[in-house]
Amino acid sequence: MLLNSIIDQKIQEYRIKVLSNVNSKTDQSVLEIKADVEFEYTNTSVGILLTNRIQQLHEAGKMGNKAVYNDLLKSLSKFTLSKKNIPKLATLSFIQIDYPFLIAYESFLYMQKNTASGISIKMRTLRALYNDAIKLKVVDRENYPFTSYSISKRLKSDAKHVAITKLKLTRSKASP
């Protein structure tokens, strides 16, 4: 009897979440709905949310995105361990990620011999995680650090683009 009650309660929680999404015209994936119902996000640290996101990507079979988030997890862990004035990743809150934090993290990544494009990927991934935290009501939008920290302005790609002339293009097409 107790088991049936628990199952019924869980089904009801899912129904309420789905109906809430329908009523508010919110578009959420099944994994996001599951995460909302199964996981309490209030006061969640960056490390916990990041680990949870990696698990969701693994369950969804999105191994490429999982690898990108894993790379962020490793570099943030290494960064927070190297700084005495920054909490470790397991206790780091999203409110503590501010403009000075992002600048210090960027500098750390350059010191680790990362390229501008590699740092850009990590920063975009961190921004996506921060946006998820806002949606999950872990942090308020007013604390959003990426309005003052512009990834595209700070991290110009160091790739060299080489244009080919029309004449060379025509010659290469004519060659067997």
Side-chain angles (χ1 to χ4, degrees):
M1 237 17 201
L2 179 62
L3 182 60
N4 285 339
S5 173
I6 293 170
I7 292 171
D8 289 343
Q9 182 182 358
K10 219 21 112 172
I11 289 171
Q12 187 62 23
E13 287 178 39
Y14 278 96
R15 279 191 184 125
I16 290 169
K17 182 64 183 164
V18 169
L19 287 174
S20 170
N21 284 348
V22 169
N23 289 338
S24 65
K25 296 181 179 162
T26 303
D27 189 24
Q28 270 190 313
S29 72
V30 173
L31 287 175
E32 289 171 325
I33 292 170
K34 179 184 176 207
D36 283 353
V37 172
E38 300 296 326
F39 191 80
E40 181 60 43
Y41 285 103
T42 340
N43 299 323
T44 302
S45 73
V46 174
I48 291 170
L49 190 61
L50 185 52
T51 304
N52 188 44
R53 183 71 179 129
I54 291 167
Q55 183 61 36
Q56 289 173 346
L57 291 167
H58 179 76
E59 289 172 5
K62 298 192 173 202
M63 297 306 160
N65 278 345
K66 178 188 169 195
V68 172
Y69 277 86
N70 256 331
D71 193 31
L72 176 65
L73 176 69
K74 288 175 189 171
S75 71
L76 271 176
S77 294
K78 201 172 180 182
F79 171 66
T80 56
L81 285 172
S82 72
K83 302 293 180 188
K84 288 183 171 68
N85 61 336
I86 296 175
K88 304 307 167 237
L89 188 58
T91 58
L92 180 69
S93 71
F94 281 92
I95 292 172
Q96 292 169 311
I97 297 178
D98 55 7
Y99 184 80
F101 176 94
L102 294 174
I103 297 298
Y105 181 49
E106 176 189 321
S107 297
F108 170 81
L109 291 172
Y110 274 120
M111 287 188 296
Q112 297 293 309
K113 307 291 187 219
N114 282 264
T115 63
S117 57
I119 296 170
S120 177
I121 290 169
K122 286 178 181 67
M123 290 298 196
R124 288 193 319 262
T125 308
L126 181 56
R127 182 177 62 193
L129 185 71
Y130 205 101
N131 288 336
D132 286 345
I134 290 170
K135 288 177 189 173
L136 295 168
K137 299 187 181 0
V138 173
V139 66
D140 291 327
R141 181 165 289 287
E142 68 187 35
N143 298 314
Y144 192 66
F146 291 96
T147 49
S148 54
Y149 180 92
S150 173
I151 297 170
S152 60
K153 288 180 184 172
R154 291 194 58 85
L155 301 167
K156 301 280 186 214
S157 175
D158 47 7
K160 295 188 179 170
H161 301 281
V162 180
I164 186 169
T165 64
K166 285 185 180 181
L167 180 61
K168 288 182 180 177
L169 184 61
T170 308
R171 285 184 187 161
S172 68
K173 284 182 181 178
S175 300

